[in-house]
Amino acid sequence: KKEGRETKEGLILTAEDKDTLVILEANAETDFVTQNDRFKHFVHDCIKQALETKPATLADLNEQPYFKDRSITIDQYRNLVIQALGENIQLRRLEIVHKGANRSYGSDSHMGGKLVVVVEIDGAHDQAEIAKEIAMHIAAESPEYLKSEEIPADVIAREEEIARSQVVGKPENVVEKIVAGKIKAFVDQVCLLHQKYVKDSSVTVQQFLEICGKKIGKPLSVHCFWRWKVGQ
């Protein structure tokens, strides 16, 4: 019966070794349970096992024998925690990041593990601090895309339609300039590399990376990022 209940609260953890980085989200019904040590131990055990076994999917992790008691699976362990705490508990999502040879990784956690960001930087293997700086920016500024090329065409079309509806009645040449300006502002708002860097608004994130790259003599770029918020 508890399995059908909605789980809106939760905890997101990261774990890593020299080859792999893991992100895992677990959910429960109330914040009271997510603060419980039994729940936290469950999530920590799950991510420890995921880091060790590197399952291809969340379903694969659920089916694995639990490393502390191989007579039960991870999913059966979850059911035991449900019985103990009296709430529906779910492993919601899992990401296994296989580290690249010439890449750096940084993470940032907020709100007691309710918001976690992981950043993967290309160009150097020893720049975790820069990756963490960008992760902190992402946590604050919530970009939806890495760069403008990633924005779907239908999203741009919708924004253009909204922009045109706001300038009805103006001359066509004026309309085109206003619409182009609004689209640029939208792109600058939702794309990480176009955003003003949160610690220095005189530069964009792209320009911040270029400055950092010049300091170490290697070009740096953001390969990708994960911004997870509980329940999203």
Side-chain angles (χ1 to χ4, degrees), residues 16 19 21 97-107 118-121 124-125 127-129 131-132 226:
E16 63 181 307
D19 300 316
L21 188 148
V97 182
H98 299 285
K99 293 182 177 180
N102 199 37
R103 290 182 180 160
S104 297
Y105 300 82
S107 62
V118 173
V119 173
E120 183 176 28
I121 285 182
H125 72 278
Q127 297 301 314
E129 201 53 45
K132 183 175 176 62
W226 296 261

Side-chain angles (χ1 to χ4, degrees), residues 78-217:
R78 178 182 67 87
N79 279 310
L80 291 174
V81 180
I82 289 174
Q83 290 170 27
L85 297 179
E87 283 192 11
N88 186 14
I89 292 167
Q90 298 288 333
L91 293 178
R92 184 166 182 272
R93 50 182 167 170
L94 170 73
E95 186 77 33
I96 305 289
V97 182
H98 299 285
K99 293 182 177 180
N102 199 37
R103 290 182 180 160
S104 297
Y105 300 82
S107 62
D108 190 38
S109 178
H110 290 269
M111 300 184 293
K114 294 184 185 298
L115 171 63
V116 168
V117 179
V118 173
V119 173
E120 183 176 28
I121 285 182
D122 214 351
H125 72 278
D126 56 353
Q127 297 301 314
E129 201 53 45
I130 292 174
K132 183 175 176 62
E133 289 286 326
I134 293 175
M136 291 168 67
H137 168 95
I138 292 168
E141 297 300 309
S142 311
E144 296 176 47
Y145 309 97
L146 175 58
K147 51 192 174 182
S148 57
E149 293 84 352
E150 292 184 358
I151 304 177
D154 63 311
V155 173
I156 292 292
R158 186 185 70 233
E159 289 300 317
E160 186 172 331
E161 185 180 341
I162 293 169
R164 288 187 182 280
S165 71
Q166 295 170 343
V167 291
V168 174
K170 294 184 182 294
E172 186 60 28
N173 63 325
V174 174
V175 168
E176 293 305 318
K177 285 183 180 178
I178 293 174
V179 169
K182 286 181 177 289
I183 294 299
K184 182 183 183 304
F186 171 74
V187 170
D188 290 348
Q189 178 187 347
V190 299
C191 294
L192 172 63
L193 298 181
H194 293 261
Q195 289 180 337
K196 296 294 185 184
Y197 180 46
V198 73
K199 286 189 173 181
D200 180 2
S201 60
S202 69
V203 296
T204 62
V205 171
Q206 176 66 45
Q207 290 165 336
F208 168 69
L209 270 174
E210 290 168 0
I211 291 166
C212 292
K214 285 177 183 176
K215 287 179 180 176
I216 66 169

